[in-house]
Amino acid sequence: MFRTEPMQKRYLSQVVQLEAEIASYPWSQGMFLEELFLNSFFRVVVQLPERVIGFLVARQFPDAWHLLNVGILPEFRRQSWARKLLTEWMEMVKQTPDLVLLLEVGVSNQPAIKLYESMGFFPIHRRHDYFVGKKGVEDAWLMQGFCIP
């Protein structure tokens, strides 16, 4: 059994470990703590009773909502968990309909690009050498979407 819920500090070590396992350019524990401190939109998918299998982090800025990070364990991909988290975020964003939605995605991450496009996002700019991490440097697409109430 699974559920999505707001991020809680007790899940932090699992989220950091999940990120380290799946991300080419992983966030540090401090980065996740900052989003908790800033009260960002931060949701996790929990396989009951307590196993985190995915997460999404987004933050509201004055002119846009920015999707900052999303990750799902490989064995739970293609089961719509990322889509469910994105849908929850976009439903919440409807409270601020004048703001655009932004995200960056590695140009080589075709599954994520296809998911974002299916949810109404489209590329608006290629950011060169945007991601830097253990797998080197990669360009990113800056993608934009809109949330219509």
Side-chain angles (χ1 to χ4, degrees):
M1 187 165 187
F2 300 86
R3 71 171 180 254
T4 61
E5 63 182 65
M7 173 62 176
Q8 299 173 40
K9 200 168 183 177
R10 73 175 194 250
Y11 295 136
L12 182 63
S13 64
Q14 289 186 67
V15 169
V16 172
Q17 181 180 354
L18 188 159
E19 171 79 349
E21 289 176 29
I22 65 170
S24 299
Y25 315 101
W27 278 22
S28 67
Q29 178 173 326
M31 294 168 80
F32 285 109
L33 275 170
E34 179 180 12
E35 297 309 319
L36 273 173
F37 175 77
L38 293 171
N39 202 27
S40 296
F41 183 86
F42 196 159
R43 296 292 184 272
V44 292
V45 179
V46 179
Q47 181 183 28
L48 299 178
E50 291 285 314
R51 181 180 179 211
V52 174
I53 63 137
F55 64 89
L56 179 143
V57 183
R59 189 187 318 163
Q60 184 178 358
F61 291 88
D63 58 347
W65 270 97
H66 202 127
L67 177 64
L68 301 173
N69 199 342
V70 61
I72 305 292
L73 284 172
E75 62 265 33
F76 294 96
R77 292 181 184 160
R78 302 201 184 278
Q79 297 178 26
S80 298
W81 290 112
R83 182 177 299 277
K84 180 163 180 44
L85 289 168
L86 284 163
T87 300
E88 286 185 16
W89 171 55
M90 292 173 81
E91 284 296 316
M92 189 277 308
V93 168
K94 286 182 179 178
Q95 299 171 26
T96 53
D98 294 336
L99 301 182
V100 299
L101 310 179
L102 298 172
L103 62 88
E104 286 88 9
V105 60
V107 296
S108 67
N109 193 345
Q110 288 302 308
I113 291 168
K114 287 180 181 182
L115 171 63
Y116 298 139
E117 287 176 338
S118 76
M119 299 194 73
F121 287 85
F122 52 92
I124 59 172
H125 179 70
R126 187 173 179 134
R127 293 189 168 174
H128 297 284
D129 299 337
Y130 183 79
F131 291 112
V132 179
K134 61 186 177 186
K135 290 193 176 182
V137 178
E138 181 177 12
D139 290 356
W141 286 115
L142 174 61
M143 299 183 79
Q144 180 176 321
F146 298 96
C147 196
I148 301 168

